Amino acid sequence: MELVTLEEITAAARRLDGIAARTPVETSATLSAKAGVEVLLKCEHLQRTGAFKLRGAYHAISGLSEVARARGVVCASAGNHAQGVALSARLAGTTATVFMPARAPLPKVEATRGYGAEVRLEGATFDDALAASWAYAEATGATYVHPFDHPDVIAGQGSLGLEILEQVPDVGTVVVPIGGGGLASGVASALKLSRPAVRVVGVQAAGAAAFPASLAAGRPRAVGTVSTFADGIAVKQPSERTLAHVAARVDEVVTVTDEEIARAVLLLVERAKQVVEPAGAAGLAAVLTGSAVGPGPVVALLCGGNVDPLLLQRILQSGMFEEGRYFALRTRLRDEPGALSRLLAHLAEGGANVLAVGHHRLRTRLGVLEVEVELEVETRGPEHIRELIDTLTASGYPVQ
């Protein structure tokens, strides 16, 4: 398997000049302090279409012959790749047909249409849309634009690695989220072929970690079940091409849990003022947990920002729970007037904000004159939680 060359990546960067935005690199004293190393954020979520996918898609589509452009391009995607292909096709003067699952998030469907693509909703799953897209390509002769398994796509994504080297000349480590591996293949190639000493760490969601097993086996291996809310990197299996690139040019691949990703998303919103989708925060999650280790400065690549507002709300709530900002407890009271108000008064005096209350009489472990109360409260963090528990316990409330 031939790997992309530095010359190919440099040519892609020239082609993308004026098309892809040069996204900023931001510093964060808070994140650096938490990680114990200088952390810089490459804000690719601020790219046109909200993700890096434009780079590879445009490089692949703009290089098509006039005959191929006349036939149009086609792809299957439920998110970022769809938007990258749609805008790239418009800029390159061709048409795009994008197949998406019938239940694809409406904002992503509308954004893809807004960039000029014809969107066809097909089937209940991504696999259904994928099959329909291949059938369309065979029937019409449209060029299939794969999200990661193509040298032009990989070279286009590699332009991001060249940008990092220009913006952070002394970079020590670059941490890259991995789904199918196109981004990691391109970025790692640009870095290693330009400056071999730079350490490159790839990060997968633990519920969709196909690369560790594939690297160990020396061939692509599929995960049995994909289970992660980071849909941008929820890929069952790498291709032979991306596996070869990652094996040769990525120093290490690590995994992070959804809970760790949620904490990273929360920190980015709260402290760095950056709204990033779960896949885009996976690299930073690995830095903060210590999974991604390397010399500084460490550049965490925030590769996408297309997150549904409802999902973002749930992620932030989950992140706050993991950070100890939300706390759920259960206790027992005498079943008498004023008992609940006295309990709530203790919490109010302790500075906790009550979010929800459940009051239950019919529980088998309760005494005849007892009730069980379940509470969800907002706190200032783990130390505040310990103070609240100590106060309640000292006041005679058994806390679970």
Side-chain angles (χ1 to χ4, degrees), residues 241-292:
R241 187 185 311 277
T242 55
L243 181 62
H245 280 80
V246 170
R249 293 170 176 171
V250 173
D251 294 289
E252 183 182 14
V253 176
V254 300
T255 64
V256 289
T257 66
D258 279 4
E259 291 74 21
E260 290 164 345
I261 294 174
R263 286 199 294 270
V265 171
L266 173 63
L267 279 170
L268 284 166
V269 170
E270 192 172 41
R271 306 309 295 270
K273 314 309 177 193
Q274 304 289 346
V275 177
V276 177
E277 65 185 270
L284 179 62
V287 173
L288 294 174
T289 60
S291 300

Side-chain angles (χ1 to χ4, degrees), residues 327 329 346-347 382-399:
F327 174 52
L329 65 94
H346 282 294
L347 292 171
E383 185 175 346
H384 189 201
I385 291 173
R386 288 191 291 271
E387 293 173 359
L388 291 171
I389 292 174
D390 290 343
T391 297
L392 292 176
T393 302
S395 301
Y397 297 100
V399 176

Side-chain angles (χ1 to χ4, degrees), residues 299-374:
V299 174
L301 178 50
L302 309 181
C303 60
N306 293 318
V307 57
D308 184 273
L310 294 177
L311 176 60
L312 179 62
Q313 180 183 26
R314 294 176 62 183
I315 293 169
L316 294 180
Q317 289 175 338
S318 174
M320 291 182 73
F321 181 82
E322 293 295 326
E323 287 288 306
R325 302 279 292 281
Y326 288 153
F327 174 52
L329 65 94
R330 182 185 299 118
T331 189
R332 295 192 302 274
L333 311 175
R334 292 280 296 177
D335 189 9
E336 61 185 22
L340 179 59
S341 65
R342 288 192 293 272
L343 170 63
L344 296 179
H346 282 294
L347 292 171
E349 291 168 4
N353 181 37
V354 178
L355 302 176
V357 179
H359 193 264
H360 308 285
R361 286 188 174 87
L362 301 179
R363 296 288 171 91
T364 56
R365 61 179 174 274
L366 295 174
V368 174
L369 299 179
E370 286 185 323
V371 295
E372 183 177 82
V373 176
E374 294 176 342

Side-chain angles (χ1 to χ4, degrees), residues 13-22 47-48 54-55 58-59 62 87-88 91-92:
R14 286 196 298 267
R15 179 174 283 171
L16 287 162
D17 186 28
I19 298 296
R22 184 183 176 89
Q47 183 58 257
R48 299 174 71 177
L54 172 70
R55 295 176 183 267
Y58 182 81
H59 182 49
S62 62
L87 178 57
S88 296
L91 294 173

Side-chain angles (χ1 to χ4, degrees), residues 99-106 109 120-126 128-129:
F99 286 79
M100 306 179 79
R103 294 187 178 181
L106 184 60
V109 173
R120 299 193 181 189
L121 302 178
E122 193 78 36
T125 67
F126 173 75
D128 295 333

